[in-house]
Amino acid sequence: MKLVVQVKLLPSPGQASALEATLRACNRAAAYASQVAFAKELKDRNGLQREVYTDLKATFGLSAQPVVRVVKKVVDAYAVLKANLQAGNLGPPTAKRYRKAVGTPIAFRPEAAQPFDDRCLSWQYDARTVSIWTIDGRMKGIRFACSPDQLKTLVAHRKGESDLVRRGGTWFLIATCDIPDPEVYGADRLDRSRPGHREPGHHQ
């Protein structure tokens, strides 16, 4: 079972500036990759990555792993659009919303969320800090705040990507946690647990 935990980042002014520049660079790169994907009909991850990898590094200042995350973000966005079109969520093909969606590349806001994996982001739970890649280099010691229960969940179950988000001038990390599914008891086992249940052949 997937669960997300949102923690508030408490960056210094210098750290916040680096985070903002990084988020904007990643979304400029995503917008460029989206235009290439649209123009060349490259909606698969490997094909798009081969096409834009060098440009994203050279033009937007991204290192290798952030490039991979940007490409995945673009491919996922087109997959969501395709699903919405097929489900009829944008109306019939003649609808204005439908025609606009299929007629232009997907756009990315300058401060849209950006995913980071464990090669770009590490957590120091005891210190309540994170270390994250930025276009200014690795930024260490960024403090975060969360409840004791959230911290416990992060330590035990955090796995995969975490999204860097800025809302209303406040920074957040939204971490994915993989929680084991609760054990499902079979009907027979549930029956055995009921008061008064007797095994077959059992006599008082």
Side-chain angles (χ1 to χ4, degrees):
M1 178 175 65
K2 298 293 185 183
L3 177 72
V4 296
V5 173
Q6 177 178 281
V7 303
K8 183 179 179 179
L9 293 180
L10 305 169
S12 68
Q15 291 169 337
S17 178
L19 292 177
E20 181 178 1
T22 299
L23 203 57
R24 289 180 176 274
C26 287
N27 283 303
R28 287 195 302 270
Y32 172 80
S34 177
Q35 291 169 358
V36 173
F38 181 83
K40 299 191 176 185
E41 298 184 354
L42 290 171
K43 304 306 191 302
D44 67 289
R45 185 172 171 181
N46 290 336
L48 181 58
Q49 186 166 305
R50 282 194 299 269
E51 187 70 26
V52 302
Y53 184 86
T54 300
D55 286 344
L56 295 192
K57 290 185 70 175
T59 304
F60 302 98
L62 308 187
S63 62
Q65 199 58 26
V67 166
V68 172
R69 296 299 98 197
V70 164
V71 169
K72 183 178 184 298
K73 179 166 79 168
V74 172
V75 170
D76 287 350
Y78 276 101
V80 170
L81 173 60
K82 181 178 179 180
N84 281 324
L85 293 172
Q86 292 176 340
N89 294 335
L90 300 181
T94 54
K96 184 177 180 180
R97 290 179 65 201
Y98 187 107
R99 288 186 284 107
K100 181 179 180 181
V102 300
T104 56
I106 290 177
F108 292 86
R109 294 180 295 102
E111 294 188 354
Q114 175 62 30
F116 288 81
D117 63 18
D118 286 346
R119 281 177 272 189
C120 306
L121 171 69
S122 60
W123 298 74
Q124 297 78 48
Y125 298 116
D126 290 342
R128 302 284 181 98
T129 63
V130 295
S131 170
I132 189 170
W133 175 89
T134 75
I135 59 172
D136 294 333
R138 191 84 176 191
M139 193 68 61
K140 299 179 180 180
I142 301 176
R143 294 186 300 120
F144 69 86
C146 65
S147 71
D149 285 344
Q150 286 177 315
L151 183 62
K152 184 178 179 180
T153 301
L154 287 170
V155 172
H157 303 296
R158 189 200 62 78
K159 187 176 182 180
E161 296 179 347
S162 300
D163 286 350
L164 177 65
V165 179
R166 190 187 191 197
R167 289 198 297 263
T170 301
W171 292 95
F172 300 93
L173 277 174
I174 302 176
T176 301
C177 295
D178 197 353
I179 310 294
D181 290 329
E183 185 176 357
V184 178
Y185 293 93
D188 180 63
R189 186 169 178 179
L190 287 172
D191 287 340
R192 291 165 187 265
S193 68
R194 291 187 307 185
H197 171 80
R198 293 186 295 173
E199 295 288 344
H202 175 78
H203 300 281
Q204 291 183 337

